[in-house]
Amino acid sequence: MSTHASDPLAALGSLPGVADAVDSVRKAVDRVYGHRVMRRRSNEISSEAALRGARGSAALSGADWALEEVRRRTDFGTEPEARTVGAALRLGAEAGQLLSIWRQSPLRVLARLHLVAAGDPGDSVGRPRLDGETVDEPLVEAPLPSPAEVAGRLDGLSELIVAGGEAPALVTAAVVHGELLALRPFTSYNGLVARAAERIVLVGSGLDPKAICPAEVGHAEQGRAAYLAAFEGYLSGTPEGVGGWIAHCGRSVELGVRESTAVCEALQRGAA
C-alpha cells in the first residue's frame, strides 16, 4: 500500500493484472445477477452463499468440513474445529448487519466481528492485542507486527475507507483482507475476520449487494498453498506481489460466482 497518490487504493488499479481482474469480476457478477432464478429466489441464493462462504473460510482456518456436515450440525461449542466452523457461520450471519456502520467506523465493525467470532466476552476479545499477548492464527506464520504498528496501520486503513474514493470494490476488498491478515490485530480468528471484512466491502460497495458471490468459496477452492503464496506477494509490497494478491482475490470472487450459478441452475431444475 505504499504509494504517494492522493487516492492510494485507486492507484492500485494500475498494478499488473489488476484492471483485467476487476473487469473479469464485474462481468462474472453481472452474469449471475442476470440469471432468471435470481429474479424470484435471490434470498435462497444469498442464504446458500453465506453457508458455503462460511464453510470455505473455516476450511482455510483448519476446519475443512464437508458442506453437508456444516449444514447438519447444531453444536459448535466443543472441539476447536467445531468452534472455528461456528465462528465462521456467526460471522456470515453478522456481516450483513454491519454494512451501514462500515463506511463510518470500520474499526468498530472489526471489533464487533472479533467479538462475534470469539463468542466469548473475554479480556482480549473485541479489541486489538496488547504487548505480550499471543496470537492464535493457524494459517499465517508471517512475522507479527507490534501492537503499536497494528494501531497505526489500522488507523490508516480506517481513514482510507471513511474517505472513500474511486478504487474498484475488488481492490478495496483485497487490501482490507490483506492488511488484516498481515496485522493479525486480534488474539484469535484473524483469518475469519479478514475474510468477513472482505465480504462486507464487496457487498457494501454495491458490487455484490445481495451477497451471492462468496469469495471465501474461491479462496478455499484455490487451496491454502495458493492463498498463502498470493498473500506472501501482498506482504512483499512489490507491484507484482500486490497486483497478484488482488488478482487472486478476484479469481476467488469468480469461483464464488460459479458456485452460486450452480445453485441457481439446481434450483431451476428443481434439484435443490
Side-chain angles (χ1 to χ4, degrees):
M1 288 209 325
S2 57
T3 174
H4 300 291
S6 58
D7 186 349
L9 291 177
L12 297 180
S14 62
L15 292 178
V18 170
D20 287 344
V22 168
D23 184 57
S24 185
V25 165
R26 178 76 267 175
K27 289 176 179 176
V29 172
D30 285 348
R31 282 195 299 272
V32 71
Y33 269 83
H35 197 287
R36 64 188 337 184
V37 169
M38 280 294 297
R39 291 197 290 270
R40 60 194 194 289
R41 302 181 75 172
S42 64
N43 287 342
E44 293 174 70
I45 308 301
S46 296
S47 295
E48 191 65 19
L51 181 73
R52 295 178 185 222
R55 193 218 75 81
S57 192
L60 284 173
S61 286
D64 192 1
W65 289 14
L67 180 63
E68 292 312 313
E69 176 69 4
V70 177
R71 198 190 303 278
R72 179 188 68 80
R73 281 285 286 267
T74 57
D75 175 21
F76 298 101
T78 52
E79 70 272 14
E81 283 196 11
R83 288 200 298 271
T84 296
V85 174
L89 287 168
R90 290 192 298 273
L91 286 172
E94 184 76 8
Q97 312 303 312
L98 299 172
L99 297 173
S100 62
I101 305 171
W102 175 255
R103 285 298 295 269
Q104 284 74 45
S105 184
L107 299 186
R108 181 179 158 200
V109 169
L110 293 175
R112 174 64 185 169
L113 289 174
H114 186 241
L115 181 64
V116 167
D120 170 22
D123 289 343
S124 66
V125 172
R127 61 155 175 80
R129 55 188 166 81
L130 305 175
D131 281 319
E133 290 183 329
T134 58
V135 172
D136 178 15
E137 180 52 57
L139 182 60
V140 179
E141 298 179 354
L144 202 62
S146 70
E149 182 179 352
V150 168
R153 286 172 64 176
L154 282 179
D155 284 344
L157 184 64
S158 176
E159 288 169 8
L160 287 174
I161 292 165
V162 172
E166 301 300 319
L170 172 64
V171 170
T172 304
V175 168
V176 167
H177 184 170
E179 277 294 283
L180 293 175
L181 273 188
L183 296 176
R184 280 147 289 157
F186 304 110
T187 56
S188 59
Y189 297 114
N190 288 289
L192 293 181
V193 168
R195 291 184 288 274
E198 178 186 47
R199 182 180 185 85
I200 287 172
V201 174
L202 293 171
V203 174
S205 66
L207 176 67
D208 179 23
K210 295 183 183 294
I212 61 166
C213 307
E216 307 97 319
V217 166
H219 287 303
E221 186 171 331
Q222 293 185 84
R224 297 176 85 182
Y227 183 77
L228 287 174
F231 174 59
E232 287 293 329
Y234 180 84
L235 283 179
S236 75
T238 65
E240 294 76 16
V242 176
W245 168 251
I246 295 170
H248 181 87
C249 291
R251 179 60 179 156
S252 296
V253 175
E254 291 187 63
L255 290 170
V257 167
R258 187 175 72 179
E259 186 91 351
S260 287
T261 300
V263 172
C264 287
E265 295 292 339
L267 287 171
Q268 186 168 287
R269 293 192 304 269

